[in-house]
Amino acid sequence: MPDIRAFFWFFDFAGTRETKQVELTGAEIFVRSLVEQGIERVFGYPGGAVLPIYDALFQQDELQHVLVRHEQAATHAADGYARSTGRPGVVLVTSGPGATNAVTGIATAYMDSIPLVVFTGQVPTALIGNDAFQEVDSVGITRPCVKHNFLVKDVNDLAVTIRKAFYVAMTGRPGPVVVDIPKDVATARAEFHYPKRISMRSYNPVTRGHPRQIKKAVDLMLSAKRPMLYTGGGVILANASSQLTEMTKLLGYPITNTLMGLGAFPATHRQNLGMLGMHGTYEANMGMHNCDVLIAIGARFDDRVTGNVDKFCPTATVIHVDIDPASISKNVKVDVPIVGPVDQVLKEMLKVLKESKKKPDADAQKAWWKQIEEWRDMDCLKYDHDSDLIKPQFVLEKLYEVTKGKAFVTSDVGQHQMWAAQFYKFDKPNRWINSGGLGTMGFGLPAAMGVQFAHPKETVACVTGEGSIQMCIQELSTCRQYGLPLKIINLNNGYLGMVRQWQQFFYDGRYAMSYMESLPDFVKLAESYGHVGMQITRPEDVEPALKEAFKMKDRLVFMDFLTDKSENVYPMIPAGAGQNEMILV
Amino acid sequence: MRHIISILMENEAGALSRVAGLFSARGYNIESLTVAATEDESLSRMTLVTRGTDEVIEQITKQLNKLIDVVKLMDMHEGPHIEREMMLIKVRAAGPAREEVKRLADIFRGRIIDVSDTTYTIEVTGTSEKLDAFVGAIIRTDIIEVVRSGVTGIARGERALHL
Ligand SMILES: Cc1ncc(C[n+]2csc(CCOP(=O)(O)OP(=O)(O)O)c2C)c(N)n1
């Protein structure tokens, strides 16, 4: 035999020898791994335990590092980046206080199933457990709010651990993953090899929904008299909006989206009844309460959606599509469960639907829609248009008009968040960025930074309140450093409005600690950071001011709207009530 | 109802705390928990005993399965199985009581594994119920110390929890 194999063998061997010679430090392995993973940007803040990593970052230019002003903001920025792109967000913080500051952002991402990989520095392995300077048990502290976490004790495991971290964060039901890297691991040397593919015997997310269950679900959907589609953030995470939209239009059924699911089906489409839940529309909640077949897709029957579970959808047979088996029948008993990736299941459902001879019952649909239109005619989101005070709802309506519905909108937590969800009509997914599960005040501004980094040419607005904005206000400095032209819409009612609303309704108007005193002059504050500040006090100035602000394409504009202090969010389902027990205006 | 759940996990530091943390965070109760490596050093096997309605047990197994380090698990009650627990019990055994304790140990097929002038230490193995019965049979004031291993279990016949 001619020795052609030996020839190749020689080259293989030479190749191996060559990679063997290249030993990198852990810090360099960290950088190379992220580059190999296709990461372009890390949000972070330096400190002692991560100095070797920062030194490695300094000596390269493939990976950008964004310096925030507080580690919480690093996690929210990475989170906003992830939510608006579908790609993982990456964070780098130091040990001890760096890690603990990041926890709020990690928990925020966890509750909304957002893929983040958070690298925390750790004291050298020899000191772990000694109460060393800036030591905390980061793996222990974050365990209940991560999808998984790792402590890397050997530099030889670093690359593969990073690969696993991204794999776990991004597949199945996504979520944050923490990788804790002791300082000596960052300085030790090892060969570098970043695995392209990875498999873990203990982690095998489902890749297909059960075909028989899918057929059963479609059959049930087609026999429905009063159907209702209820869809959540899972549709957006699975990038399945187009399939959802196609299927919903094909069926002609009403659809409602959760707070996390807004934009998965166009808000301006007639079939969309708007958001459901505690501050959802009358038509969406009544539709839920009265439906006979509930088609839940990528939604998790959260208590803010269901209200009292004993009164939830009393007449419905429930279909539930979700990637996470533990979500199924957790809060509400499901009749037809389908565990699988939402995009794949919807594709399969569409196929079955198109092949099916059965069609939706036209007469029943007519009657059902007639009923729904009656509910819709209640016009539950109406508010006073003749007020001398700026109504927050009005600002949001104008924001929608001025940005032509095309902005990315982040929000903080409170009344302004609910009004933004109600009044800004999202026709596309990944545009509405808010902390739904954890409800983290302080999320809006840093999240908007992450969105703007991901979409430098797009319009990014942050809808906030004077309470929330002060929780991460320091990030105005980051925005200045990186020239992020965000538009901040501060709905300043002088109150922790959502708290005040609950105190008005449920605590006889005893407004304990919900009044915001000693507010800064937001205009001067913005200016002191080098931004543009505006204060708007009259309804007639709202639209012109918005127009002016959004014309300033390269400046951050902080718009302080002094709004009606007494406005409340309606409709409202009080905690413990059923979906048909809404407080209307 | 009482369930014995056996879990094969990656033998990693922190694996135990992930399980314990899950139970405390979600408010599930653990009656007993045992862990040790298996014949495959990379795996550890955990046996836990918990109580709950069918819905709660379903959630527990789903949440356990969701832990990234969990490779496989089995609810023993889905089929016939054997359960065992071991107990070491030190009892006062002086005077006329000495004979009586020995007789009781024999009835329960316990083995006396340590003897002093005034005490016996007895090893008993069996179901938790049997151990309870043995403890119940001894005069309370005569019990000096009780150590129980926690329950382990294995399925009968071909059914097995392995990779
Ligand atoms: C970090 C954090 N702390 C406390 C809360 C409780 N909380 C929910 S809404 C709210 C008031 C928010 O006030 P503001 O940002 O001014 O918005 P508004 O409700 O007035 O629109 C508070 C304190 C929270 N969600 N997050």
Side-chain angles (χ1 to χ4, degrees):
Chain A
M1 281 285 281
D3 228 347
I4 196 155
R5 249 181 297 164
F7 181 74
F8 278 114
W9 177 83
F10 171 77
F11 265 91
D12 258 346
F13 180 70
T16 335
R17 269 248 307 260
E18 197 164 9
T19 45
K20 260 198 181 134
Q21 280 162 359
V22 188
E23 285 213 329
L24 301 181
T25 65
E28 288 161 346
I29 290 174
F30 168 85
V31 173
R32 296 296 328 148
S33 298
L34 294 197
V35 171
E36 295 269 316
Q37 184 64 43
I39 303 302
E40 47 192 28
R41 190 172 290 106
V42 180
F43 298 90
Y45 206 90
V50 281
L51 280 175
I53 294 180
Y54 274 83
D55 197 44
L57 283 169
F58 189 80
Q59 298 177 48
Q60 56 84 48
D61 51 17
E62 284 170 277
L63 195 60
Q64 192 200 358
H65 178 279
V66 175
L67 179 69
V68 293
R69 299 298 182 268
H70 185 297
E71 289 88 351
Q72 179 187 349
T75 48
H76 291 332
D79 183 323
Y81 177 92
R83 291 184 203 231
S84 67
T85 58
R87 297 201 293 269
V90 183
V91 176
L92 172 62
V93 297
T94 194
S95 66
T100 54
N101 271 351
V103 168
T104 299
I106 295 168
T108 304
Y110 180 67
M111 288 297 278
D112 290 341
S113 308
I114 305 303
L116 292 190
V117 178
V118 179
F119 295 94
T120 51
Q122 184 54 277
V123 301
T125 40
L127 290 183
I128 289 180
N130 276 12
D131 300 321
F133 177 62
Q134 296 197 324
E135 179 185 0
V136 295
D137 175 8
S138 300
V139 164
I141 286 178
T142 58
R143 187 177 298 122
C145 60
V146 292
K147 182 167 173 190
H148 197 54
N149 56 19
F150 299 93
L151 168 63
V152 185
K153 284 192 173 156
D154 181 343
V155 67
N156 290 297
D157 300 334
L158 183 57
V160 71
T161 306
I162 294 176
R163 185 68 191 87
K164 279 185 188 171
F166 280 99
Y167 173 59
V168 170
M170 292 160 66
T171 51
R173 179 174 180 175
V177 175
V178 166
V179 182
D180 201 22
I181 307 177
K183 193 170 185 178
D184 56 323
V185 170
T187 50
R189 290 181 172 272
E191 270 176 56
F192 174 61
H193 170 68
Y194 196 70
K196 285 233 168 349
R197 307 195 140 273
I198 192 128
S199 71
M200 292 164 71
R201 65 178 173 185
S202 65
Y203 175 66
N204 298 292
V206 263
T207 54
R208 286 192 74 202
H210 200 294
R212 217 174 330 119
Q213 290 291 91
I214 292 175
K215 284 215 172 71
K216 201 167 149 193
V218 170
D219 194 55
L220 188 60
M221 275 151 68
L222 289 173
S223 354
K225 302 259 183 268
R226 301 183 311 280
M228 189 75 190
L229 285 137
Y230 146 57
T231 75
V235 177
I236 292 171
L237 291 167
N239 203 8
S241 291
S242 59
Q243 291 91 320
L244 175 71
T245 305
E246 188 184 348
M247 188 176 89
T248 307
K249 287 182 179 168
L250 196 67
L251 288 164
Y253 292 171
I255 179 168
T256 176
N257 305 136
T258 68
L259 180 66
M260 296 312 299
L262 298 177
F265 182 85
T268 51
H269 194 279
R270 190 190 68 91
Q271 277 169 259
N272 198 330
L273 309 189
M275 183 171 74
L276 80 163
M278 183 172 272
H279 293 297
T281 66
Y282 188 69
E283 52 273 30
N285 285 329
M286 291 302 281
M288 292 288 289
H289 189 79
N290 291 284
C291 72
D292 70 342
V293 174
L294 181 65
I295 307 147
I297 305 171
R300 62 186 178 90
F301 298 84
D302 168 80
D303 54 278
R304 284 293 189 265
V305 158
T306 58
N308 186 337
V309 284
D310 297 331
K311 300 180 186 173
F312 179 76
C313 295
T315 53
T317 308
V318 180
I319 298 165
H320 188 190
V321 183
D322 206 290
I323 185 86
D324 178 7
S327 273
I328 289 177
S329 291
K330 183 171 70 179
N331 303 334
V332 166
K333 181 105 189 60
V334 172
D335 302 289
V336 185
I338 302 170
V339 177
V342 168
D343 54 341
Q344 182 273 333
V345 172
L346 285 179
K347 267 183 215 151
E348 189 64 28
M349 279 186 163
L350 266 166
K351 206 170 126 229
V352 179
L353 255 178
K354 285 176 186 166
E355 284 164 3
S356 168
K357 284 187 201 74
K358 206 159 148 186
K359 296 283 165 251
D361 177 338
D363 290 340
Q365 290 321 300
K366 217 168 142 198
W368 180 224
W369 272 108
K370 184 165 171 286
Q371 170 66 77
I372 289 169
E373 292 304 341
E374 275 169 32
W375 289 325
R376 180 135 58 186
D377 287 342
M378 294 276 295
D379 194 12
C380 68
L381 298 180
K382 62 178 170 280
Y383 64 92
D384 177 9
H385 277 87
D386 303 322
S387 171
D388 293 338
L389 302 171
I390 297 178
K391 288 284 177 182
Q393 300 96 321
F394 179 67
V395 179
L396 287 158
E397 273 183 349
K398 289 298 160 195
L399 176 68
Y400 174 73
E401 285 172 30
V402 170
T403 57
K404 304 190 175 68
K406 290 194 177 125
F408 284 81
V409 179
T410 73
S411 100
D412 268 303
V413 174
Q415 293 182 312
H416 61 272
Q417 175 190 27
M418 293 300 122
W419 286 316
Q422 291 173 337
F423 287 89
Y424 201 101
K425 299 185 208 63
F426 295 93
D427 280 344
K428 285 190 184 158
N430 308 94
R431 301 268 162 149
W432 165 240
I433 313 281
N434 83 128
S435 165
L438 198 67
T440 309
M441 288 170 70
F443 176 80
L445 174 56
M449 303 191 316
V451 176
Q452 189 79 79
F453 272 112
H455 309 275
K457 298 217 157 59
E458 302 282 342
T459 302
V460 183
C462 165
V463 175
T464 184
E466 80 292 340
S468 293
I469 193 68
Q470 292 188 83
M471 286 219 176
C472 276
I473 192 87
Q474 75 287 343
E475 296 308 316
L476 286 174
S477 172
T478 312
C479 294
R480 175 68 184 166
Q481 180 177 349
Y482 295 93
L484 302 177
L486 306 177
K487 304 294 176 281
I488 298 174
I489 315 295
N490 187 37
L491 298 178
N492 185 346
N493 53 8
Y495 278 100
L496 298 174
M498 189 56 94
V499 175
R500 190 203 54 73
Q501 176 168 347
W502 281 61
Q503 289 170 336
Q504 179 188 335
F505 287 7
F506 311 118
Y507 296 88
D508 290 329
R510 291 185 296 279
Y511 297 124
M513 298 296 136
S514 54
Y515 182 63
M516 278 269 107
E517 272 185 77
S518 309
L519 288 176
D521 177 336
F522 285 110
V523 173
K524 279 197 196 143
L525 183 70
E527 286 171 358
S528 77
Y529 280 108
H531 302 305
V532 179
M534 286 182 181
Q535 188 174 64
I536 302 95
T537 56
R538 299 184 311 173
E540 57 270 35
D541 296 336
V542 169
E543 190 169 353
L546 282 166
K547 281 187 172 150
E548 191 191 334
F550 280 93
K551 267 195 207 115
M552 291 185 246
K553 296 260 179 248
D554 53 354
R555 298 299 298 276
L556 183 149
V557 185
F558 191 112
M559 310 187 73
D560 187 25
F561 291 92
L562 301 190
T563 60
D564 184 350
K565 292 181 186 309
S566 63
E567 190 56 275
N568 288 323
V569 183
Y570 297 107
M572 178 171 188
I573 303 175
Q579 288 177 309
N580 57 337
E581 298 168 321
M582 271 161 283
I583 306 174
L584 297 166
V585 184
Chain B
M1 208 180 96
R2 177 172 174 275
H3 284 248
I4 300 173
I5 300 174
S6 292
I7 308 164
L8 279 182
M9 291 188 86
E10 295 292 352
N11 192 3
E12 304 261 355
L16 175 60
S17 61
R18 288 183 205 281
V19 173
L22 173 73
F23 273 69
S24 64
R26 295 195 180 263
Y28 308 139
N29 67 60
I30 303 184
E31 285 190 3
S32 76
L33 176 66
T34 71
V35 211
T38 64
E39 81 288 1
D40 173 350
E41 295 258 308
S42 69
L43 287 173
S44 57
R45 179 161 173 149
M46 189 177 288
T47 309
L48 63 83
V49 179
T50 183
R51 251 173 224 284
T53 59
D54 288 353
E55 290 78 42
V56 169
I57 299 295
E58 187 185 329
Q59 261 300 309
I60 289 176
T61 54
K62 282 175 171 178
Q63 294 292 349
L64 282 169
N65 262 317
K66 233 172 110 170
L67 294 176
I68 306 290
D69 283 340
V70 169
V71 184
K72 235 177 172 182
L73 63 79
M74 187 191 259
D75 181 344
M76 285 294 150
H77 294 260
E78 275 162 15
H81 62 278
I82 299 158
E83 90 171 72
R84 285 289 180 275
E85 187 177 2
M86 192 185 70
M87 175 168 68
L88 304 179
I89 178 166
K90 187 175 290 184
V91 294
R92 205 159 294 292
R98 204 165 169 89
E99 232 351 83
E100 173 64 11
V101 169
K102 187 167 180 321
R103 210 175 51 81
L104 265 180
D106 287 343
I107 293 173
F108 282 84
R109 299 191 189 196
R111 292 196 304 139
I112 296 173
I113 54 173
D114 185 55
V115 179
S116 76
D117 287 352
T118 51
T119 66
Y120 278 147
T121 300
I122 306 155
E123 175 191 319
V124 194
T125 304
T127 63
S128 303
E129 269 182 347
K130 173 179 159 185
L131 304 193
D132 291 342
F134 184 69
V135 173
I138 292 184
I139 300 165
R140 194 152 188 96
T141 48
D142 284 350
I143 299 175
I144 300 170
E145 190 177 352
V146 174
V147 199
R148 293 173 73 146
S149 64
V151 174
T152 60
I154 197 162
R156 283 188 186 274
E158 282 289 319
R159 202 165 70 104
L161 177 63
H162 63 132
L163 285 195

